[in-house]
Each structure stands twice: as C-alpha cells, then as structure tokens.
Amino acid sequence: LRQNGLQQITTIDSLDKLNQVRVQLLGKKGKLTQALRQMKDLSAQERPQIGALANSIRDDLKAALTQVQEDLELEATQSQLAQEKIDVTLPGRTRHQGHKHVINQVIDDIEALFIGLGYQVINGPEVEEDHYNFEMLNLPKDHPARDMQDTFYITKDILMRTQTSPVQARTMEKHDFNQGPLKMISPGKVYRRDTDDATHSHQFNQIEGLVIDKHITMADLKGTLELLARHIFGAEREIRLRPSYFPFTEPSVEVDISCFACSGAGCRICKQTGWIEVLGAGLVHPNVLTNAGVDPQVYGGFAFGLGPDRFAMLKYGINDIREFYLNDVRFLEQFQGE
Ligand code: FA5
C-alpha cells in the first residue's frame, strides 16, 4: 500500500490530480480506510501492530501529498511572477498632455484680477434675445447703431450675441441694490458677421465689466482700466482713451494700448500706429439704467467690454488673430501657461 501510494503520488502534475489521488488514497473509499475497517476482524495481538502500521502508512502518504502540494503551489507562483515580470529599464510611453488655450489663460488672468477687486464672475447665454442684446441697451429696433455690429440672426428675435453687454442688462435687472453695489465681469464668446482678417474674427471673446453704485465717475473707470492694462502687460504699457460712441454709455471711450512686442514695418496688428484698440467703455447711459429698473437719479456706473483675443495678441506679439482658431498644435504648444 505504501509503495503503491507513494508511486501514485510521484505521477501528480496538477492540483486537480492531487485532489483525486488524495481521495483515492486517504478518502472513505480508499484502500487504507478499508484496511482499517477490517481491523475488527483481527486478533487482539495483531490489532495494535497492524494499527500502528496503517497509521504510519497514512502519515507517510499525507506527508508526501503535502510536499507535492507545496511544490505545485510554488511552481504556480513562480510561473505567474515570471509572466508578470516588468522590465523597468524599458523607456516609458509618454502621454501627450494638453494645456489651457492661450486665450483662456488670458481670460483666467483677467478674472483673477477682478475677483481680487471684489467683482463677481457671471455667465450669460450665447444664443440671446434681441431684447437683451440690443433693446435693453438703448438700441431699439431700426436704431442705426445696430449696423455697428453685423449680426447672425437665428429668428427675428433670437440671435447669436454680438457682445457680452446683454449680461449687464440681465444682471442689473436682477440685482438688489439694497444689498450693496453691483460689481461684475462676464467673459464669453461673441459672434459677428465680420470678415476675418488679422485682427477680426467672426467668433471671438469678450469680457464685460460693470460697476453700478452711487458716485461713480470717469476717474473710477480710467483707474480700473489702467490697473488692468498694467496687470496684464506690465507697468511700462501705456493706455490712451479716445472719445467714441456706444448707445449704452455716455460719455463713451475706446481704449488703445501701446504696442511693445511688435513695432516697425512688420507690425500688422498695430497698423504701424503703435496702438491697438482693445476695449470699449464708458459711463452707463441713464436709459440703460431705467430699462433695468434702476433709478439714474440715485445710481450710476461704468462699463467696459474688452477683447481677450486682442489682449493675447499684444501680450505675446502674435500678428494674426486667426492663429488662435486654426488649432495648429505647433502654434498652441508655445503657450503652456503656468
Ligand atoms: C462692444 O462690443 C461693446 N459692447 C463694448 C462696450 C461694453 C462698450 C461696455 C461700452 C461699455 P466693440 O464692438 O468695440 O464694443 O468691441 C469691443 C472689443 O472687442 C474691441 O475693442 C476689440 O478688442 C474686440 N473686438 C471687436 N470686434 C472684434 C473682432 N471681430 N475680432 C476680435 N476682436 C474684436
């Protein structure tokens, strides 16, 4: 029995087989168990001898089985380890990591400045009602100044907003002035039927700014814009205010920034004047306040609308606004941000 059993154990080559052999050798129907069952028929003399022999056979077989089991398990672990082996010296697979678009970096930078000055950041819809894009802003239907911004209409009363100024009207209308003054900026995309060229795109970005409080003057506006220009472009930049016209501000100004990054004959963005127009601004027109339910006898304010695309061009010396929208990674990769 012992020899047969040990012989059978040497043929085991898998854990399944091990279980089968274990049952055959030591199970209830195994030969050893049957032999032990016949002990009762033995004489009192033989019983202890045969009993001891059967026990030693069982112990040997058990020990041999345990040994085989350990060997098989070790083998399995080793082969699994060999399969999962990693060669840490192989060069890694680099993943191309994207980053913020340069215009969004400029927008974030401007937002951070104004948040620090206590402004709220408010978003408005890009598909806008004529009512907010024009009428609330003192531009009734047939007003000639509507031609200043050639519009993509969706229906007679719905359009792609041509400016971020409608967010002014929406916010003023809702604001509770008993809670304090209104200070907001609103960044976002705007759309115009402009012919694309080096400084114009039919889709571009604006950031609207609006402050409504008692005793706001042109000096507040100028100080704020100067702070903005210096924050983005550094203390050396100059700004200049030119009288202008917007239906929603009175007086109105256009603000130019001096060109640094490009100058001379090769400078397309500054059209060789040394200045580029980057924003429109002014003191909020009394009609706009009245339309939004704000009393112009008590409150006044300033507003501005700037083009972050043009800010980005100036900041990085980019000569053509279309570069931003061509999605050429070789161009965009140059502006990784922080
Ligand atoms: C306006 O859109 C006014 N809503 C701005 C404003 C707000 C005035 C509040 C007063 C009070 P304007 O059309 O000038 O104004 O555009 C503002 C800025 O957007 C421009 O100074 C320029 O920087 C940018 N901009 C205008 N048209 C384009 C264009 N086609 N492509 C890129 N940037 C443009």
Side-chain angles (χ1 to χ4, degrees):
L1 264 182
R2 190 197 311 262
Q3 264 170 12
N4 271 348
L6 290 175
Q7 168 62 31
Q8 215 177 332
I9 290 171
T10 58
T11 66
I12 295 174
D13 55 4
S14 72
L15 288 168
D16 277 350
K17 185 90 185 282
L18 174 83
N19 275 332
Q20 282 172 19
V21 174
R22 195 199 307 273
V23 172
Q24 275 171 25
L25 295 180
L26 303 173
K28 276 186 202 145
K29 290 182 186 154
K31 282 190 185 144
L32 192 65
T33 315
Q34 276 169 15
L36 284 169
R37 277 205 196 112
Q38 286 161 13
M39 293 261 291
K40 62 182 183 330
D41 303 331
L42 296 175
S43 69
Q45 253 180 351
E46 280 173 320
R47 218 177 280 159
Q49 287 170 7
I50 301 291
L53 180 64
N55 278 341
S56 98
I57 294 176
R58 193 186 53 204
D59 290 348
D60 283 357
L61 294 180
K62 260 192 182 168
L65 284 167
T66 309
Q67 183 61 50
V68 170
Q69 179 168 3
E70 281 172 8
D71 290 350
L72 283 172
E73 281 173 353
L74 184 69
E75 214 174 280
T77 315
Q78 276 170 346
S79 87
Q80 195 179 355
L81 283 176
Q83 271 171 26
E84 291 175 4
K85 194 168 77 175
I86 298 170
D87 182 354
V88 289
T89 63
L90 281 177
R93 249 175 252 155
T94 50
R95 222 176 260 177
H96 188 81
Q97 198 170 9
H99 60 87
K100 272 212 173 128
H101 192 283
V102 56
I103 292 180
N104 289 324
Q105 292 173 31
V106 170
I107 293 174
D108 284 357
D109 196 6
I110 296 174
E111 272 185 22
L113 170 75
F114 282 101
I115 289 170
L117 295 172
Y119 286 59
Q120 301 176 63
V121 180
I122 293 176
N123 291 310
E126 285 174 33
V127 178
E128 184 55 285
E129 295 169 33
D130 185 285
H131 175 72
Y132 285 107
N133 195 79
F134 290 128
E135 283 180 44
M136 288 284 281
L137 297 169
N138 200 29
L139 273 147
K141 291 223 159 47
D142 304 325
H143 192 291
R146 283 193 177 211
D147 294 347
M148 285 164 71
Q149 300 172 1
D150 221 347
T151 310
F152 289 115
Y153 278 95
I154 292 177
T155 66
K156 193 168 65 61
D157 299 316
I158 307 280
L159 44 78
M160 299 306 290
R161 66 176 177 189
T162 57
Q163 49 187 352
T164 43
S165 304
V167 189
Q168 278 189 39
R170 286 179 173 274
T171 315
M172 250 188 270
E173 207 175 43
K174 275 193 243 140
H175 188 77
D176 176 3
F177 284 90
N178 295 321
Q179 305 288 321
L182 169 60
K183 290 164 83 179
M184 60 145 251
I185 56 164
S186 182
K189 293 191 198 81
V190 302
Y191 304 83
R192 287 186 198 175
R193 284 162 46 118
D194 278 350
T195 309
D196 290 3
D197 65 20
T199 52
H200 292 83
S201 174
H202 58 279
Q203 178 206 305
F204 58 102
N205 294 274
Q206 282 192 340
I207 299 180
E208 195 75 11
L210 175 71
V211 172
I212 305 281
D213 198 357
K214 294 169 182 164
H215 317 299
I216 296 284
T217 70
M218 205 67 183
D220 298 312
L221 172 64
K222 193 173 176 206
T224 307
L225 295 179
E226 225 159 46
L227 197 68
L228 169 67
R230 306 232 157 111
H231 174 76
I232 301 292
F233 302 110
E236 326 80 66
R237 288 287 173 139
E238 288 173 52
I239 66 169
R240 85 177 174 187
L241 270 53
R242 281 182 291 110
S244 184
Y245 170 77
F246 295 104
F248 29 88
T249 46
E250 181 59 38
S252 301
V253 289
E254 257 167 345
V255 180
D256 299 341
I257 295 193
S258 58
C259 298
F260 257 51
C262 74
S263 56
C267 172
R268 281 160 76 200
I269 37 172
C270 287
K271 301 192 183 110
Q272 285 124 45
T273 62
W275 298 91
I276 182 171
E277 176 214 315
V278 287
L279 64 89
L283 295 185
V284 180
H285 196 290
N287 288 354
V288 174
L289 294 169
T290 309
N291 289 345
V294 182
D295 185 352
Q297 300 295 337
V298 183
Y299 290 100
F302 67 72
F304 58 86
L306 64 89
D309 305 51
R310 300 235 179 122
F311 268 54
M313 289 171 81
L314 254 190
K315 182 166 176 163
Y316 297 110
I318 294 157
N319 281 330
D320 198 319
I321 195 170
R322 288 166 291 198
E323 300 272 19
F324 293 131
Y325 299 105
L326 291 175
N327 282 336
D328 184 339
V329 232
R330 290 167 304 178
F331 169 78
L332 295 172
E333 263 174 357
Q334 298 172 57
F335 310 97
Q336 297 279 344
E338 280 92 65

